[in-house]
Amino acid sequence: MDKVMRELRLRRDRPLVRVNEEPSAVNGYAIGFVFADRVHGGFEYDFYCRSPLDALDWVRQTAGKTWVTTEHLEQFADLALSRFDPPRKAA
């Protein structure tokens, strides 16, 4: 149980993927994302997305990196969807 709690705290305190910068005139209305590599001394990889199609291209680019995990891609997809996808109406 302690191991599970430690992992949950780590995910909360040091997420694998986070939004670094919201869209603004300064960054060309792009959203900044950061992928963290907890295994190799806290290395971070940052990039900007301007659209859902741009986010898909970043999935393609980052998926080939040996340190990027399925969890990175899942978290990035969730964050990108929450930023780019308009709210859906209930069916």
Side-chain angles (χ1 to χ4, degrees), residues 10-23 30-38 41-49 58 62 67 71-84:
L10 180 64
R11 287 180 185 189
R12 180 196 65 207
D13 297 340
R14 293 179 45 216
L16 290 174
V17 181
R18 70 181 190 279
V19 173
N20 191 42
E21 191 172 344
E22 293 290 348
I31 301 170
F33 293 93
V34 178
F35 277 32
D37 180 359
R38 291 189 200 131
F43 171 77
E44 292 187 334
Y45 184 81
D46 64 325
F47 55 93
Y48 287 89
C49 292
W58 278 106
T62 56
W67 60 272
E71 189 176 355
H72 281 95
L73 299 176
E74 289 171 348
Q75 287 182 19
F76 173 62
D78 287 342
L79 287 171
L81 276 172
S82 72
R83 296 308 193 279
F84 290 119

